[in-house]
Amino acid sequence: MMKYTLSTLAIASLLFISCGNNKKCNCGCKQCCDNADSTAVAAGALDFKVADKQNVDLSKYPVDKDGFITLFDGKTLNGWRGYGKDAAPESWNVEDGAIHLVGSGTGEAQMEGGGDLIFAHKFKNFELEFEYKISKGGNSGVFYLAQEVTTNVDGKDEYLPIWQSASEYQVLDNANHEDAKLGVDGNRQSASLYDMIPAKPQNAKPFGEWNKGKITVFKGTVIHAQNGENVVEYHLWTPKWNEMLKNSKFKEDGEFPIAYKLLKNMGGDKHEGYIGFQDHGDDVWYRNVRIKIID
């Protein structure tokens, strides 16, 4: 499940702006709704910046006979760092050949020093393969085509949550996490395009067991696979994609107007972005992470 990582001030600011752009306010925030008819800045005018950080040199990473580049060596977090950070968050470590998030045990709340983990290189057309194991009642996700985006709040740049610029391959203990029952038609269950398209068939293994995941992105066509079966397919930058966004929590006149702008043209002008693992506060493990670049 996607979660909020902006400071309280930043969230309040965005809520005020989005509500101020509607004649009828139903967000529940008294301050927002009292000003719903005021002359607030229009949502479409919200400003943001995409950070331009240096990519790692992929030529230094091993390539197997099938053309897959190893992104995780099973021993270190070389090449990985925190979203909006220069080093890996302390909550991520390597355990028994897997990347392990040490969860806070309090759901969405991250541990101090936590945060989402990204591989420090932007990818465009690719096949990403990985294995994941979720804890009981656990929740996480794999982001792709993500950007590091900031917006100015009272003179200070604040990072927007990674999910405002990226699609999410859901990782979930379907049997024991309440999010599996929410959304529409199971679109918050494992391997789904989170909150938009359900993974069918739903073939995730129980918590504590390893699952095989795969994400293919090629010229806007996206496919999610789980345990050897294709379970989701959709097409970016199309009228259908725009329709999906307009009917989602990311709608243009909704609570996250910057997210709408970012997701409508996901990957930016170059249609490329980062791959990331979500810190949702629950223990999760990833291993055998590799990628093949498709020309």
Side-chain angles (χ1 to χ4, degrees), residues 232-268:
V232 166
E233 179 181 344
Y234 67 100
H235 305 275
L236 293 168
W237 320 309
T238 62
K240 177 64 175 177
W241 174 245
N242 293 341
E243 180 183 347
M244 288 169 57
L245 289 176
K246 289 177 180 178
N247 291 324
S248 74
K249 65 191 290 184
F250 308 112
K251 58 188 177 181
E252 186 172 12
D253 58 351
E255 193 174 350
F256 310 108
I258 294 179
Y260 174 80
K261 295 175 69 174
L262 291 167
L263 293 171
K264 185 177 180 181
N265 188 37
M266 197 166 71

Side-chain angles (χ1 to χ4, degrees), residues 62 74 92 144 171 207 209 224 248 256 270 278 281 286:
W92 293 91
Y144 50 94
V171 170
F207 74 89
E209 295 186 22
H224 291 186
S248 74
F256 310 108
K270 294 183 179 180
Q278 185 183 41
Y286 295 96

Side-chain angles (χ1 to χ4, degrees), residues 5 18 21 81 83 128 134 148 158 172 255 271 280 294:
T5 55
S18 61
N21 196 45
R81 61 176 175 81
Y83 172 79
L128 173 70
I134 192 69
E148 288 180 301
E158 295 268 1
L172 194 77
E255 193 174 350
H271 291 164
H280 199 276
I294 308 173

Side-chain angles (χ1 to χ4, degrees), residues 77 89-95 98-107 109-115 117 135 139-140 278-286:
L77 291 177
E90 296 176 1
S91 56
W92 293 91
N93 61 30
V94 177
E95 176 184 285
I99 298 174
H100 174 217
L101 171 70
V102 180
S104 64
T106 53
Q110 299 173 353
M111 292 181 65
E112 183 176 356
L117 185 72
S135 55
N139 190 332
S140 183
Q278 185 183 41
D279 176 355
H280 199 276
D282 299 317
D283 281 75
V284 65
W285 295 260
Y286 295 96

